[in-house]
Each structure stands twice: as C-alpha cells, then as structure tokens.
Amino acid sequence: MRSTLYVVLGTLAFCVGLAALNGTSAGTEYADMTAADQATFDPLAVSLRGYLLAQIALGLLGGLVITAEYGARTIVGTLTSVPHRGRVLAAKAVVLVGVVLPVGLLVSLAGFLVGQASLAGADAPHLGLSEGLAQRGIWGGGLYLALAALFGLAIGTVIRSTTATVTTLFGVMLIVQAFAPALPGAVGDWVSKYWPPIAGGQIITGYRDPALLDPWAGFTVMAGCVAVLLTVAFVVFRKRDA
C-alpha cells in the first residue's frame, strides 16, 4: 500500500519530535520539582512517550493490511489464488511483523537518543545507550509496537472496516488509558494494572510503580491478549464468507 511509507515516516518524525519536546520540557522543569517528584522522575519514559501515537499508527497499518483488501474487494482475488485462508492471514502477519518490528526499533532508538540528549542538555538525569534499562526500553518498545500492529491486524480481520478499526484502536489504546484513573475504586485499579495496552506500556518505563505490573509481566499480558485476538481472527477469517 502507498500509505505504508507515509505511516512509517510520519510515525518516526512525530515520535522524534515529541521526544525532543518532552526531553526539553521535563529537563527544564526538573530543577523546580519537589523531592518526591524528582525521586519518581523517569528519563526513559520521557523519551519514549511517543509510543502512545506510534501504537495507533502502526496498529492502523496492521488493520489496513486486511481492511484495504475488503474495501477494494481484492480479497476475492486473493482467496481465489490462495484458498487456504489460514495461510493467507499468517503470511500477512509475517510480512507485517517484518516491516513493523524494524520500524518500532528505529522509532524507539531515535526517540531515546533525541530525548536523552535533550535531558542532558538541560542538566537533568538521563541514561546512556549502553545501560541495561535503556536496552530494555528500546528493544521492548520495538516489540510492543509489533504487538500493536498485530492487534490492529486481528481487529481489522474481525471487523473488516477501516473506520471501525481506527475507532476501536483509539478506544482500546488511548481512551481507556486516559480515563482509567477516573474509574471508581477497584475497577480503576484493575484497569490501570491489567488493561493490556497499559500493562504492555510498562516495558518503556524506568520507574517501578509498585501498584502496576513489572515491565516484562505487563508485556506478557499484552502478548497474551494479542495471541487470543489473533486466534479469534483466524477462526473468523476461515469461517466467514469474503
């Protein structure tokens, strides 16, 4: 699809720009923070926060891999050429990961380097590329974005509509996350801890919040959710008419 290049370049540009703005802003404010805020200051999350948009953009790319075919009705020709539907969807997933994983790693690496340089320029706490925390954030961020793309593919396969896929991605990955702290009592606590995109997002954080899952535990929750949705997508794709 022609849109693939635009999505990739736009995601990279936005995430790098946001890392620079976040790093400069957070670095400037650091000296005026309270001791409590300084203790929880997270330079890794500051530089990688662009993943919030990147997950939507790459999730949409994943959805378009299948919904674009339904929209143009090329899905009929695809399934005529390759009647084995499981093979078709598996091939789409493999190619998608082959594109998105390097892009996700590049987005994470570029955001990290620019963000940490901005923090260093403001004389705020920052990380070096060789540090274990930085490596986990970069590699984990790339893997998380690959999962976001597969999530979009699964949703697009089930829904078969680009518009509905975009709406679902925004709702699941952004709106629930934004309103989770406002949810009452135990419900809000559970959503903040176990909602897959929130749990998975812990992989790009350095500060350990005891109320939330550990980074790799949260990532496992996200991976498990995507695996379940992909299984549902395979079943629906095999049983439903094109």
Side-chain angles (χ1 to χ4, degrees):
M1 299 175 294
R2 286 178 295 178
S3 59
T4 300
L5 181 61
Y6 303 135
V7 170
V8 169
L9 294 179
T11 301
L12 181 60
F14 182 88
C15 291
V16 169
L18 187 60
L21 290 174
N22 278 346
T24 301
S25 176
T28 302
E29 296 172 357
Y30 180 79
D32 298 324
M33 290 180 179
T34 64
D37 288 336
Q38 289 183 348
T40 60
F41 185 75
D42 191 344
L44 182 63
V46 166
S47 60
L48 297 182
R49 197 155 291 151
Y51 92 96
L52 289 170
L53 176 77
Q55 65 179 349
I56 299 296
L58 298 180
L60 172 59
L61 184 62
L64 284 172
V65 167
I66 187 72
T67 62
E69 286 226 64
Y70 279 108
R73 298 307 300 159
T74 57
I75 190 67
V76 176
T78 297
L79 295 179
T80 300
S81 301
V82 186
H84 195 298
R85 295 191 176 202
R87 187 179 302 167
V88 170
L89 194 56
K92 287 181 178 292
V94 170
V95 173
L96 177 65
V97 171
V99 172
V100 171
L101 182 57
V103 171
L105 291 172
L106 181 59
V107 165
S108 298
L109 176 61
F112 175 84
L113 293 175
V114 171
Q116 298 309 308
S118 299
L119 289 172
D123 200 26
H126 56 279
L127 300 171
L129 183 59
S130 61
E131 296 184 43
L133 192 62
Q135 292 293 315
R136 188 253 288 166
I138 294 168
W139 286 98
L143 291 170
Y144 175 86
L145 292 176
L147 287 179
L150 290 173
F151 179 84
L153 174 63
I155 295 299
T157 302
V158 173
I159 297 177
R160 302 200 295 187
S161 164
T162 300
T163 302
T165 299
V166 173
T167 303
T168 302
L169 287 170
F170 269 98
V172 171
M173 292 185 162
L174 287 183
I175 295 177
V176 172
Q177 184 163 339
F179 286 95
L183 295 175
V187 174
D189 293 340
W190 187 92
V191 171
S192 296
K193 187 172 185 178
Y194 294 108
W195 188 253
I198 299 177
Q202 296 305 307
I203 199 68
I204 59 95
T205 62
Y207 170 70
R208 172 73 181 94
D209 187 338
L212 303 178
L213 293 175
D214 289 335
W216 287 112
F219 180 84
T220 302
V221 170
M222 179 65 176
C225 173
V226 171
V228 170
L229 288 174
L230 280 174
T231 300
V232 172
F234 270 93
V235 172
V236 170
F237 191 58
R238 291 183 63 181
K239 291 183 177 296
R240 192 164 54 187
D241 290 338

